[in-house]
Amino acid sequence: ILTPAYASPEQKRGEPAKPSCDIFAICRVLQRLLEKIPEPKDADLSAIAAKATQEHAADRYLTAQELLQDLERRRTHQPVTARHQTFGYRMNRFFRRRRFEAIAAGLAIVGVLGGSAVAVFGYVRARKAETLAVEEAASAREVSKFLVRLFETSDPDRSKGQQVTAK
């Protein structure tokens, strides 16, 4: 005796029951429960249920232990084997597991980038100030040379009685 809505395809064909048939039935119940949950659906649970209710027994969890391991992975925010292991999915699971560490690392990165930006801004300002100081020093040297020449020309010992003009 079997319940058609929850029986595995091999049971419906009259083949002997195996653990994978029980896993199929349990996950059919899980699928029915998930259908009753309002949005958003739990993608990990849906993937686990879909894997456990595959048409071919070889595509399902072979043991209850495998199913339990995937359910435990889902509970601890680790990637479940029933889902495609994309980079985005794995990163999502990592950040769910390590939320505090991820936030701390993000803040550290922002701090380093902010500190670097301040340092670069300070360096650029210092370089501009240095360039201006070099230009001002060159200008001051020229003015100093001019004044020295002016006073040397006006020196009575050098002009030897000649009239000094501003020409």
Side-chain angles (χ1 to χ4, degrees), residues 73-153:
R73 283 187 197 99
R74 182 216 166 257
R75 187 186 70 75
T76 58
H77 304 294
Q78 295 181 13
V80 297
T81 61
R83 296 224 12 215
H84 294 291
Q85 302 294 307
T86 64
F87 179 76
Y89 172 67
R90 292 182 67 80
M91 286 295 97
N92 177 281
R93 297 290 91 192
F94 175 79
F95 288 127
R96 292 286 305 267
R97 276 192 321 275
R98 304 277 188 225
R99 184 171 290 156
F100 175 76
E101 292 90 342
I103 290 170
L107 290 174
I109 289 170
V110 167
V112 167
L113 291 176
S116 297
V118 168
V120 166
F121 179 72
Y123 175 76
V124 168
R125 284 189 63 194
R127 291 293 293 174
K128 286 181 181 177
E130 179 186 24
T131 301
L132 181 61
V134 167
E135 290 171 358
E136 291 293 327
S139 176
R141 276 192 300 278
E142 291 300 316
V143 168
S144 177
K145 286 179 187 177
F146 170 75
L147 290 175
V148 167
R149 279 194 312 270
L150 179 67
F151 284 112
E152 284 176 348
T153 315

Coordinates of all heavy atoms in Angstrom, one line a residue, residues 73-153:
R73 N 23.8 21.7 6.5 CA 24.5 22.8 5.8 C 23.6 24.0 5.7 O 24.1 25.1 5.8 CB 25.0 22.3 4.4 CG 26.2 21.4 4.5 CD 26.7 21.1 3.0 NE 27.5 20.0 3.0 CZ 27.2 18.8 2.7 NH1 26.0 18.5 2.3 NH2 28.1 17.8 2.7
R74 N 22.4 23.8 5.3 CA 21.4 24.9 5.2 C 21.3 25.6 6.5 O 21.3 26.8 6.6 CB 20.1 24.4 4.7 CG 19.1 25.5 4.5 CD 17.7 25.1 4.9 NE 16.9 26.2 5.0 CZ 16.5 26.7 6.2 NH1 16.9 26.2 7.3 NH2 15.7 27.8 6.2
R75 N 21.1 24.8 7.6 CA 20.9 25.4 8.9 C 22.1 26.3 9.4 O 22.0 27.3 10.0 CB 20.7 24.3 10.0 CG 20.3 24.9 11.4 CD 20.2 23.8 12.4 NE 21.5 23.2 12.7 CZ 22.4 23.8 13.5 NH1 22.2 25.0 14.0 NH2 23.6 23.2 13.8
T76 N 23.3 25.9 9.0 CA 24.5 26.6 9.4 C 25.0 27.5 8.3 O 26.2 28.0 8.4 CB 25.7 25.6 9.7 OG1 25.9 24.8 8.6 CG2 25.3 24.8 11.0
H77 N 24.2 27.8 7.3 CA 24.5 28.8 6.2 C 25.7 28.4 5.4 O 26.4 29.2 4.9 CB 24.7 30.2 6.8 CG 23.5 30.7 7.6 ND1 22.3 30.9 7.0 CD2 23.3 30.9 8.9 CE1 21.4 31.3 7.9 NE2 22.0 31.3 9.1
Q78 N 25.9 27.1 5.2 CA 26.9 26.6 4.3 C 26.3 26.2 3.0 O 25.1 26.0 3.0 CB 27.6 25.4 5.0 CG 28.4 25.8 6.2 CD 29.1 24.6 6.8 OE1 29.3 23.5 6.2 NE2 29.6 24.7 8.0
P79 N 27.0 26.2 1.9 CA 26.5 25.8 0.6 C 25.9 24.4 0.7 O 26.6 23.5 1.2 CB 27.6 25.9 -0.3 CG 28.6 26.8 0.4 CD 28.5 26.6 1.8
V80 N 24.7 24.2 0.2 CA 24.1 22.9 0.1 C 24.5 22.2 -1.2 O 24.7 22.9 -2.2 CB 22.6 22.9 0.3 CG1 22.2 23.4 1.7 CG2 21.9 23.7 -0.8
T81 N 24.7 20.9 -1.2 CA 25.1 20.2 -2.4 C 24.0 20.2 -3.5 O 24.3 19.9 -4.6 CB 25.6 18.8 -2.1 OG1 24.4 18.0 -1.5 CG2 26.7 18.8 -1.1
A82 N 22.8 20.4 -3.1 CA 21.7 20.3 -4.0 C 21.6 21.5 -5.0 O 20.9 21.5 -6.0 CB 20.4 20.2 -3.3
R83 N 22.4 22.6 -4.6 CA 22.4 23.8 -5.5 C 23.6 23.9 -6.3 O 24.7 23.3 -6.0 CB 22.3 25.1 -4.6 CG 21.0 25.1 -3.8 CD 20.3 26.4 -3.7 NE 20.6 27.5 -4.5 CZ 20.5 28.7 -4.1 NH1 20.2 29.0 -2.8 NH2 20.7 29.7 -4.9
H84 N 23.5 24.7 -7.4 CA 24.7 24.9 -8.2 C 25.6 25.8 -7.4 O 25.2 26.8 -6.7 CB 24.3 25.7 -9.5 CG 23.5 24.8 -10.4 ND1 24.0 23.8 -11.1 CD2 22.2 24.9 -10.8 CE1 23.0 23.2 -11.8 NE2 21.9 23.9 -11.6
Q85 N 26.9 25.5 -7.4 CA 27.9 26.2 -6.5 C 28.5 27.4 -7.3 O 29.7 27.4 -7.5 CB 29.0 25.2 -6.1 CG 28.4 24.0 -5.4 CD 27.8 24.3 -4.0 OE1 28.5 25.0 -3.2 NE2 26.6 23.9 -3.8
T86 N 27.6 28.4 -7.6 CA 28.2 29.6 -8.2 C 29.0 30.4 -7.2 O 28.8 30.2 -6.0 CB 27.0 30.4 -8.8 OG1 26.2 30.9 -7.7 CG2 26.1 29.6 -9.7
F87 N 29.8 31.3 -7.7 CA 30.6 32.1 -6.9 C 29.7 33.0 -6.0 O 29.9 33.1 -4.8 CB 31.5 33.0 -7.7 CG 32.4 33.9 -6.9 CD1 33.5 33.5 -6.2 CD2 32.1 35.3 -6.9 CE1 34.2 34.3 -5.5 CE2 32.8 36.2 -6.1 CZ 33.9 35.7 -5.4
G88 N 28.7 33.6 -6.6 CA 27.8 34.4 -5.8 C 27.1 33.7 -4.7 O 26.9 34.2 -3.6
Y89 N 26.6 32.5 -5.0 CA 26.0 31.7 -4.0 C 26.9 31.3 -2.8 O 26.6 31.5 -1.7 CB 25.4 30.4 -4.6 CG 24.9 29.4 -3.6 CD1 23.7 29.7 -2.8 CD2 25.5 28.2 -3.4 CE1 23.2 28.8 -1.9 CE2 25.0 27.3 -2.4 CZ 23.9 27.6 -1.7 OH 23.4 26.7 -0.8
R90 N 28.1 30.9 -3.2 CA 29.1 30.6 -2.1 C 29.5 31.8 -1.3 O 29.6 31.7 -0.1 CB 30.3 30.0 -2.8 CG 30.0 28.6 -3.4 CD 31.2 27.9 -4.0 NE 32.2 27.5 -3.0 CZ 32.2 26.5 -2.2 NH1 31.1 25.7 -2.3 NH2 33.1 26.2 -1.3
M91 N 29.6 33.0 -2.0 CA 29.9 34.2 -1.2 C 28.7 34.6 -0.3 O 28.9 35.0 0.8 CB 30.2 35.4 -2.2 CG 31.6 35.3 -2.8 SD 32.9 35.4 -1.7 CE 33.3 33.7 -1.4
N92 N 27.5 34.4 -0.8 CA 26.3 34.7 0.0 C 26.3 33.8 1.3 O 26.1 34.3 2.4 CB 25.1 34.5 -0.8 CG 23.8 34.7 0.0 OD1 23.4 33.8 0.8 ND2 23.2 35.8 -0.2
R93 N 26.6 32.6 1.1 CA 26.6 31.7 2.3 C 27.8 32.0 3.2 O 27.6 32.0 4.4 CB 26.9 30.2 1.8 CG 25.8 29.6 0.9 CD 24.5 29.4 1.7 NE 23.6 30.6 1.6 CZ 22.5 30.8 2.3 NH1 22.1 29.9 3.2 NH2 21.9 31.9 2.1
F94 N 28.9 32.4 2.7 CA 30.1 32.8 3.5 C 29.7 34.0 4.3 O 29.9 34.0 5.6 CB 31.3 33.1 2.6 CG 32.4 33.6 3.4 CD1 33.3 32.8 4.2 CD2 32.7 35.0 3.5 CE1 34.3 33.3 4.9 CE2 33.8 35.5 4.2 CZ 34.6 34.6 4.9
F95 N 29.1 35.0 3.7 CA 28.8 36.3 4.4 C 27.6 36.0 5.5 O 27.6 36.7 6.5 CB 28.4 37.4 3.5 CG 29.6 37.9 2.8 CD1 29.6 38.0 1.4 CD2 30.7 38.3 3.4 CE1 30.7 38.5 0.7 CE2 31.9 38.8 2.8 CZ 31.8 38.9 1.4
R96 N 26.8 35.1 5.2 CA 25.7 34.7 6.2 C 26.4 34.1 7.4 O 25.9 34.3 8.5 CB 24.7 33.8 5.6 CG 23.8 34.3 4.5 CD 22.7 35.3 5.0 NE 21.9 34.7 6.0 CZ 20.7 34.1 5.8 NH1 20.3 34.0 4.6 NH2 20.0 33.7 6.8
R97 N 27.4 33.2 7.2 CA 28.1 32.5 8.3 C 28.9 33.5 9.0 O 29.1 33.4 10.2 CB 28.9 31.4 7.7 CG 28.3 30.1 7.5 CD 29.3 29.0 7.3 NE 30.5 29.3 6.5 CZ 30.5 29.2 5.2 NH1 29.5 29.0 4.4 NH2 31.7 29.5 4.6
R98 N 29.6 34.4 8.3 CA 30.6 35.2 8.9 C 30.2 36.7 8.9 O 31.0 37.6 8.5 CB 31.9 35.0 8.2 CG 32.4 33.6 8.2 CD 33.1 33.3 9.5 NE 33.8 32.0 9.3 CZ 33.7 31.1 10.3 NH1 33.0 31.3 11.4 NH2 34.3 29.9 10.1
R99 N 29.0 37.0 9.2 CA 28.5 38.4 9.1 C 29.3 39.4 9.9 O 29.7 40.4 9.3 CB 27.0 38.4 9.6 CG 26.4 39.7 9.4 CD 24.9 39.6 9.7 NE 24.3 38.8 8.7 CZ 23.2 38.2 8.8 NH1 22.5 38.2 9.9 NH2 22.7 37.5 7.8
F100 N 29.7 39.1 11.1 CA 30.4 40.1 11.9 C 31.8 40.3 11.3 O 32.3 41.4 11.2 CB 30.6 39.6 13.4 CG 31.5 40.4 14.2 CD1 31.0 41.6 14.7 CD2 32.8 40.0 14.5 CE1 31.8 42.4 15.5 CE2 33.6 40.8 15.3 CZ 33.1 42.0 15.7
E101 N 32.5 39.2 10.9 CA 33.8 39.3 10.4 C 33.8 40.0 9.0 O 34.7 40.8 8.7 CB 34.4 37.9 10.2 CG 34.7 37.1 11.5 CD 33.6 36.3 12.0 OE1 32.4 36.5 11.5 OE2 33.8 35.4 12.8
A102 N 32.8 39.8 8.2 CA 32.6 40.5 7.0 C 32.4 42.0 7.2 O 33.1 42.8 6.5 CB 31.5 39.9 6.1
I103 N 31.6 42.3 8.1 CA 31.4 43.8 8.4 C 32.7 44.4 8.9 O 33.1 45.5 8.5 CB 30.3 44.0 9.4 CG1 28.9 43.6 8.8 CG2 30.2 45.4 10.0 CD1 27.8 43.5 9.7
A104 N 33.4 43.7 9.8 CA 34.7 44.2 10.3 C 35.7 44.4 9.2 O 36.4 45.4 9.2 CB 35.2 43.3 11.4
A105 N 35.8 43.4 8.3 CA 36.7 43.5 7.2 C 36.3 44.6 6.3 O 37.2 45.4 5.8 CB 36.8 42.2 6.4
G106 N 35.1 44.8 6.0 CA 34.6 45.9 5.2 C 34.9 47.3 5.8 O 35.4 48.2 5.1
L107 N 34.7 47.4 7.1 CA 35.1 48.6 7.8 C 36.6 48.9 7.8 O 37.0 50.0 7.6 CB 34.6 48.6 9.2 CG 33.0 48.7 9.4 CD1 32.7 48.5 10.9 CD2 32.5 50.0 8.8
A108 N 37.3 47.8 7.9 CA 38.8 48.0 7.9 C 39.2 48.4 6.5 O 40.1 49.3 6.4 CB 39.5 46.6 8.2
I109 N 38.6 47.9 5.5 CA 39.0 48.2 4.1 C 38.6 49.7 3.8 O 39.4 50.5 3.3 CB 38.3 47.3 3.1 CG1 39.0 45.9 3.1 CG2 38.4 47.9 1.7 CD1 38.2 44.9 2.3
V110 N 37.4 50.1 4.3 CA 37.0 51.5 4.1 C 38.0 52.4 4.9 O 38.3 53.5 4.4 CB 35.5 51.7 4.6 CG1 35.2 53.1 4.8 CG2 34.6 51.0 3.7
G111 N 38.4 52.0 6.1 CA 39.3 52.8 6.9 C 40.7 52.9 6.2 O 41.2 54.0 6.1
V112 N 41.2 51.8 5.6 CA 42.4 51.9 4.9 C 42.3 52.8 3.7 O 43.2 53.6 3.4 CB 42.9 50.5 4.5 CG1 44.1 50.5 3.5 CG2 43.3 49.7 5.8
L113 N 41.2 52.6 2.9 CA 41.0 53.4 1.7 C 40.9 54.9 2.1 O 41.4 55.8 1.4 CB 39.8 52.9 0.9 CG 40.0 51.6 0.2 CD1 38.7 51.2 -0.4 CD2 41.2 51.6 -0.7
G114 N 40.1 55.2 3.2 CA 40.0 56.6 3.6 C 41.3 57.2 4.1 O 41.6 58.3 3.7
G115 N 42.0 56.4 4.8 CA 43.3 56.9 5.3 C 44.3 57.1 4.1 O 45.0 58.1 4.1
S116 N 44.2 56.2 3.2 CA 45.1 56.4 2.0 C 44.7 57.6 1.2 O 45.5 58.4 0.7 CB 44.9 55.1 1.1 OG 45.4 54.0 1.7
A117 N 43.4 57.9 1.1 CA 42.9 59.1 0.4 C 43.4 60.3 1.1 O 43.9 61.3 0.4 CB 41.4 59.1 0.2
V118 N 43.3 60.3 2.4 CA 43.8 61.5 3.2 C 45.3 61.7 3.0 O 45.8 62.8 2.8 CB 43.4 61.4 4.7 CG1 44.1 62.4 5.5 CG2 41.9 61.5 4.8
A119 N 46.0 60.6 3.0 CA 47.5 60.6 2.9 C 47.8 61.2 1.5 O 48.7 62.0 1.3 CB 48.1 59.3 3.1
V120 N 47.2 60.7 0.4 CA 47.4 61.2 -0.9 C 47.1 62.6 -1.0 O 47.8 63.4 -1.6 CB 46.7 60.3 -2.0 CG1 46.7 61.0 -3.3 CG2 47.2 58.9 -2.0
F121 N 46.0 63.0 -0.5 CA 45.6 64.4 -0.5 C 46.6 65.3 0.2 O 47.0 66.4 -0.3 CB 44.2 64.6 0.2 CG 43.7 66.0 0.2 CD1 43.3 66.7 -1.0 CD2 43.7 66.8 1.4 CE1 42.9 68.0 -0.9 CE2 43.3 68.1 1.4 CZ 42.9 68.7 0.3
G122 N 47.1 64.9 1.4 CA 48.1 65.6 2.1 C 49.4 65.6 1.3 O 50.1 66.7 1.3
Y123 N 49.8 64.5 0.6 CA 51.0 64.5 -0.2 C 50.9 65.5 -1.3 O 51.9 66.2 -1.6 CB 51.2 63.1 -0.7 CG 52.4 63.0 -1.7 CD1 53.7 63.0 -1.2 CD2 52.2 62.9 -3.0 CE1 54.8 62.9 -2.1 CE2 53.3 62.8 -3.9 CZ 54.6 62.8 -3.4 OH 55.6 62.7 -4.3
V124 N 49.8 65.5 -2.0 CA 49.6 66.4 -3.1 C 49.7 67.9 -2.7 O 50.4 68.7 -3.3 CB 48.2 66.2 -3.9 CG1 47.9 67.3 -4.8 CG2 48.3 64.8 -4.6
R125 N 49.1 68.2 -1.5 CA 49.2 69.5 -1.0 C 50.6 69.9 -0.6 O 51.1 71.0 -0.9 CB 48.3 69.7 0.2 CG 46.8 69.8 -0.1 CD 45.9 70.1 1.0 NE 46.3 71.4 1.6 CZ 45.9 71.9 2.7 NH1 45.2 71.2 3.5 NH2 46.3 73.1 3.2
A126 N 51.3 68.9 0.0 CA 52.7 69.2 0.4 C 53.6 69.4 -0.9 O 54.4 70.3 -0.9 CB 53.2 68.0 1.2
R127 N 53.3 68.7 -1.9 CA 54.1 68.9 -3.2 C 53.8 70.2 -3.8 O 54.7 70.9 -4.3 CB 53.8 67.8 -4.2 CG 54.3 66.4 -3.8 CD 55.8 66.3 -3.8 NE 56.2 66.4 -5.2 CZ 57.5 66.5 -5.5 NH1 58.4 66.4 -4.6 NH2 57.8 66.6 -6.8
K128 N 52.6 70.6 -3.8 CA 52.2 72.0 -4.3 C 52.9 73.1 -3.4 O 53.4 74.0 -4.0 CB 50.7 72.2 -4.3 CG 50.0 71.4 -5.4 CD 48.5 71.7 -5.4 CE 47.8 70.9 -6.5 NZ 46.4 71.1 -6.4
A129 N 52.8 72.9 -2.1 CA 53.5 73.9 -1.2 C 55.0 73.9 -1.5 O 55.6 75.0 -1.4 CB 53.1 73.5 0.2
E130 N 55.6 72.7 -1.7 CA 57.0 72.7 -1.9 C 57.4 73.4 -3.2 O 58.3 74.2 -3.3 CB 57.5 71.3 -2.0 CG 59.0 71.1 -2.3 CD 59.4 69.7 -2.5 OE1 58.6 68.8 -2.9 OE2 60.6 69.4 -2.3
T131 N 56.6 73.2 -4.3 CA 56.8 73.8 -5.6 C 56.7 75.3 -5.4 O 57.5 76.1 -5.9 CB 55.8 73.3 -6.6 OG1 56.0 71.9 -6.7 CG2 56.0 73.9 -8.0
L132 N 55.7 75.8 -4.7 CA 55.5 77.2 -4.5 C 56.6 77.8 -3.7 O 57.1 78.9 -4.0 CB 54.1 77.5 -3.8 CG 53.8 78.9 -3.5 CD1 53.7 79.7 -4.8 CD2 52.5 79.0 -2.7
A133 N 57.1 77.1 -2.7 CA 58.2 77.5 -1.8 C 59.5 77.7 -2.7 O 60.2 78.6 -2.5 CB 58.4 76.6 -0.6
V134 N 59.7 76.7 -3.5 CA 60.9 76.8 -4.4 C 60.8 78.0 -5.3 O 61.8 78.7 -5.5 CB 61.1 75.4 -5.2 CG1 62.1 75.6 -6.3 CG2 61.4 74.3 -4.3
E135 N 59.6 78.2 -5.9 CA 59.5 79.4 -6.8 C 59.6 80.7 -6.0 O 60.3 81.6 -6.5 CB 58.1 79.3 -7.4 CG 57.9 78.2 -8.5 CD 56.5 78.1 -8.9 OE1 55.6 78.8 -8.4 OE2 56.2 77.2 -9.8
E136 N 59.1 80.7 -4.8 CA 59.2 81.9 -4.0 C 60.7 82.2 -3.6 O 61.1 83.3 -3.5 CB 58.3 81.8 -2.7 CG 56.8 81.9 -3.0 CD 56.4 83.2 -3.5 OE1 56.9 84.3 -3.1 OE2 55.5 83.3 -4.4
A137 N 61.4 81.1 -3.3 CA 62.8 81.2 -2.9 C 63.6 81.7 -4.1 O 64.5 82.6 -3.9 CB 63.3 79.8 -2.4
A138 N 63.3 81.2 -5.3 CA 64.0 81.7 -6.5 C 63.7 83.2 -6.7 O 64.7 84.0 -7.0 CB 63.6 80.9 -7.7
S139 N 62.5 83.6 -6.5 CA 62.1 85.0 -6.7 C 62.8 85.8 -5.6 O 63.3 86.9 -5.9 CB 60.6 85.1 -6.5 OG 60.2 86.5 -6.6
A140 N 62.9 85.4 -4.4 CA 63.5 86.1 -3.3 C 65.0 86.2 -3.6 O 65.6 87.3 -3.3 CB 63.3 85.4 -1.9
R141 N 65.7 85.2 -4.1 CA 67.1 85.3 -4.5 C 67.3 86.4 -5.5 O 68.3 87.1 -5.5 CB 67.6 83.9 -5.0 CG 68.0 83.0 -3.8 CD 68.8 81.8 -4.3 NE 68.1 81.0 -5.3 CZ 67.2 80.0 -4.9 NH1 66.9 79.8 -3.7 NH2 66.6 79.3 -5.9
E142 N 66.4 86.4 -6.5 CA 66.6 87.4 -7.6 C 66.4 88.8 -7.0 O 67.2 89.7 -7.4 CB 65.5 87.2 -8.7 CG 65.8 85.9 -9.5 CD 67.1 86.0 -10.2 OE1 67.5 87.0 -10.8 OE2 67.8 84.9 -10.2
V143 N 65.4 89.0 -6.1 CA 65.2 90.3 -5.5 C 66.4 90.7 -4.7 O 66.9 91.8 -4.7 CB 63.9 90.4 -4.7 CG1 63.9 91.6 -3.8 CG2 62.7 90.3 -5.6
S144 N 66.9 89.7 -3.9 CA 68.1 89.9 -3.1 C 69.3 90.3 -4.0 O 70.1 91.3 -3.6 CB 68.4 88.7 -2.3 OG 69.6 88.8 -1.6
K145 N 69.6 89.6 -5.1 CA 70.7 90.0 -6.0 C 70.5 91.4 -6.5 O 71.5 92.1 -6.6 CB 70.7 89.0 -7.2 CG 71.3 87.6 -6.8 CD 71.3 86.7 -8.0 CE 71.6 85.3 -7.7 NZ 71.5 84.5 -8.9
F146 N 69.3 91.7 -6.9 CA 69.0 93.1 -7.4 C 69.4 94.1 -6.4 O 70.0 95.1 -6.7 CB 67.6 93.2 -7.9 CG 67.2 94.6 -8.2 CD1 67.6 95.2 -9.4 CD2 66.4 95.3 -7.3 CE1 67.2 96.5 -9.7 CE2 66.0 96.6 -7.6 CZ 66.4 97.2 -8.8
L147 N 68.9 93.9 -5.1 CA 69.2 94.9 -4.1 C 70.6 95.0 -3.8 O 71.2 96.1 -3.5 CB 68.4 94.5 -2.8 CG 66.8 94.7 -2.9 CD1 66.2 94.2 -1.7 CD2 66.5 96.2 -3.2
V148 N 71.3 93.9 -3.8 CA 72.8 93.9 -3.5 C 73.5 94.7 -4.6 O 74.3 95.5 -4.3 CB 73.4 92.5 -3.4 CG1 74.9 92.5 -3.5 CG2 72.9 91.8 -2.1
R149 N 73.1 94.5 -5.9 CA 73.7 95.2 -7.0 C 73.4 96.7 -6.9 O 74.2 97.6 -7.1 CB 73.2 94.7 -8.3 CG 74.0 93.4 -8.8 CD 73.7 93.1 -10.3 NE 72.3 93.2 -10.7 CZ 71.5 92.1 -10.6 NH1 71.9 91.0 -10.2 NH2 70.2 92.3 -11.0
L150 N 72.2 97.0 -6.4 CA 71.7 98.4 -6.3 C 72.6 99.1 -5.2 O 73.1 100.2 -5.5 CB 70.3 98.4 -5.9 CG 69.7 99.8 -5.7 CD1 69.6 100.6 -7.0 CD2 68.3 99.7 -5.1
F151 N 72.8 98.4 -4.1 CA 73.6 99.0 -3.1 C 75.1 99.1 -3.4 O 75.8 100.0 -3.0 CB 73.4 98.3 -1.7 CG 72.1 98.7 -1.1 CD1 71.1 97.7 -1.0 CD2 71.8 100.0 -0.6 CE1 69.9 98.0 -0.4 CE2 70.6 100.3 0.0 CZ 69.6 99.3 0.1
E152 N 75.5 98.1 -4.2 CA 76.9 98.1 -4.6 C 77.2 99.3 -5.5 O 78.2 99.9 -5.5 CB 77.3 96.8 -5.3 CG 77.5 95.6 -4.3 CD 77.8 94.3 -5.1 OE1 77.6 94.3 -6.3 OE2 78.1 93.4 -4.4
T153 N 76.2 99.6 -6.4 CA 76.4 100.7 -7.3 C 76.4 102.0 -6.6 O 77.0 102.9 -6.9 CB 75.2 100.7 -8.3 OG1 75.1 99.4 -8.8 CG2 75.5 101.6 -9.5

